[in-house]
């Protein structure tokens, strides 16, 4: 099982990096649009604050979280947007303070969860390391939206290994959520980490294989880039199709982000447009898809 201290430390670092992007923004910049349709920078931070609060309730107050779940079931198509909209109406200073306080409370709560204990979530029950991994994935993805809105470039870090891990393990979900049978055979994924190390997932010698940079892979599986705007390479028909539909989060498929350039000819580097990526807006709740295990049994470097 992964070290919960490591992933919680990485979650804190990821949040602080995003905080440095927004902490000194003028009030008008909080209203800047992001690539998620209808969402400003304020919506992005409000969503993170809202989800941190939900995670805190799940880890500390099962009854209160059950009440929140009932609200979600009553408005499954609106409750994520409504939570972001409510927070985005706050003055930026108040929103920033809420996000900071909430994520620190969540840190403390997750560090206090005994090993092996799981708590309820919108999907399958979560352990503390699994929740921290999911929160890191979502913080990084929404942070990318903020960076894009500000025209900022974030140097990739080793923290991407957590995002890559979820993206790899969510392979079957990406097929099933679109009504496509998941491939029976395992895939090999080889990703070049920011420091040049190779992160590998799946059996060596698998016929279906994906190679490229960890950054490209993480951007793709969080739906922050179009397939044609990556340099990822696929060997095998199923691997090629997966790169056109990959997603690291639970939720329905959507139209995906548009390519920044005309798409390459089919077969050269992308799946057909009909199998395009899911909703480019926001991963709902940061939860790993149902097929992604709640706990991770892998070396810390991201090999499996």
């Amino acid at each position: 099982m992964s070290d919960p201290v490591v992933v919680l430390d990485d979650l804190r670092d990821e949040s602080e990096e995003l905080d440095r992007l927004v902490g000194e923004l003028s009030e008008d910049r909080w209203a800047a649009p992001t690539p998620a349709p209808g969402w400003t920078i304020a919506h992005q931070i409000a969503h993170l604050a809202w989800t941190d609060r939900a995670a805190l309730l799940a880890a500390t107050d099962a009854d209160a979280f059950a009440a929140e779940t009932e609200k979600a079931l009553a408005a499954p198509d609106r409750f994520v947007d409504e939570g972001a909209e409510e927070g985005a109406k706050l003055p930026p200073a108040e929103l920033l303070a809420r996000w900071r306080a909430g994520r620190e409370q969540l840190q403390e709560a997750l560090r206090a969860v005994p090993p092996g204990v799981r708590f309820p979530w919108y999907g399958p029950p979560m352990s503390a390391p699994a929740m921290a991994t999911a929160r890191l994935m979502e913080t990084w993805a929404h942070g990318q939206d903020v960076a894009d809105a500000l025209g900022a470039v974030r140097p990739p870090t080793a923290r991407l290994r957590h995002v890559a891990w979820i993206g790899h393990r969510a392979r079957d979900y990406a097929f099933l959520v679109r009504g496509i049978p998941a491939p029976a055979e395992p895939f090999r994924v080889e990703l070049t980490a920011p420091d040049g190390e190779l992160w590998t997932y799946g059996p060596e010698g698998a016929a279906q294989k994906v190679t490229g940079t960890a950054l490209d892979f993480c951007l793709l599986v969080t739906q922050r880039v179009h397939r044609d705007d990556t340099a990822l390479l696929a060997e095998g028909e199923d691997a090629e199709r997966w790169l056109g539909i990959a997603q690291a989060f639970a939720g329905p498929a959507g139209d995906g982000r548009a390519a920044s350039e005309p798409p390459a000819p089919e077969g050269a580097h992308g799946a057909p447009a009909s199998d395009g990526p899911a909703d480019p807006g926001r991963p709902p709740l940061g939860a790993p898809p149902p097929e992604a295990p709640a706990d991770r049994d892998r070396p810390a470097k991201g090999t499996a």
Side-chain angles (χ1 to χ4, degrees):
M1 185 184 299
S2 63
D3 186 339
V5 174
V6 171
V7 68
L8 281 163
D9 286 348
D10 283 350
L11 172 58
R12 174 171 283 164
D13 290 345
E14 192 64 43
S15 298
E16 289 177 352
E17 180 177 290
L18 176 54
D19 198 316
R20 287 191 289 273
L21 277 180
V22 301
E24 301 299 327
L25 289 180
S26 61
E27 188 163 337
D28 63 305
R29 292 293 278 156
W30 281 81
T34 69
W39 276 30
T40 65
I41 289 175
H43 284 85
Q44 300 285 349
I45 299 303
H47 175 66
L48 291 176
W50 178 85
T51 317
D52 283 345
R53 176 182 174 276
L56 179 64
L57 287 178
T60 61
D61 191 337
D63 290 340
F65 180 73
E68 290 297 312
T69 302
E70 289 298 320
K71 295 178 184 178
L73 293 174
D77 297 329
R78 304 193 312 273
F79 79 110
V80 171
D81 283 315
E82 288 174 353
E85 186 65 35
E86 180 180 354
K89 294 177 181 177
L90 296 172
E94 183 177 348
L95 173 57
L96 186 60
R98 284 195 185 188
W99 177 48
R100 287 170 172 169
R103 73 184 198 237
E104 189 58 35
Q105 289 176 324
L106 181 59
Q107 275 275 337
E108 294 174 3
L110 293 180
R111 290 178 189 274
V113 175
V117 170
R118 296 171 187 263
F119 44 85
W121 191 236
Y122 296 98
M126 302 279 271
S127 69
M131 177 59 78
T133 303
R135 298 306 305 129
L136 190 153
M137 180 268 290
E138 192 171 20
T139 300
W140 181 82
H142 289 287
Q144 186 61 46
D145 289 337
V146 172
D148 288 344
L150 296 174
V153 177
R154 303 185 301 170
T157 73
R159 297 189 296 272
L160 289 178
R161 68 187 184 274
H162 305 294
V163 183
W165 182 86
I166 295 179
H168 162 69
R169 295 306 295 261
R171 184 204 71 174
D172 287 0
Y173 181 79
F175 283 87
L176 297 175
V177 76
R178 291 163 176 79
I180 306 171
E185 62 182 310
F187 288 8
R188 175 73 166 182
V189 178
E190 297 182 354
L191 304 175
T192 303
D195 65 358
E197 183 183 2
L198 190 65
W199 296 343
T200 61
Y201 308 85
E204 191 172 1
Q208 305 289 325
K209 183 177 180 180
V210 170
T211 59
T213 68
L215 178 59
D216 272 357
F217 184 77
C218 292
L219 288 169
L220 185 69
V221 299
T222 57
Q223 305 299 338
R224 263 55 192 180
V225 72
H226 190 278
R227 165 73 174 98
D228 292 323
D229 290 327
T230 75
L232 295 168
L233 298 176
E235 297 179 18
E237 182 178 348
D238 286 339
E240 188 71 67
R241 170 165 285 204
W242 178 42
L243 290 187
I245 62 175
Q247 65 182 74
F249 52 88
D255 294 333
R257 289 203 172 158
S260 61
E261 299 177 357
E266 182 178 338
H269 156 69
S274 60
D275 286 333
D279 184 352
R282 48 261 173 205
L285 308 177
E291 284 68 28
D295 284 311
R296 305 179 303 164
D297 186 10
R298 61 165 178 78
K301 289 293 187 180
T303 56

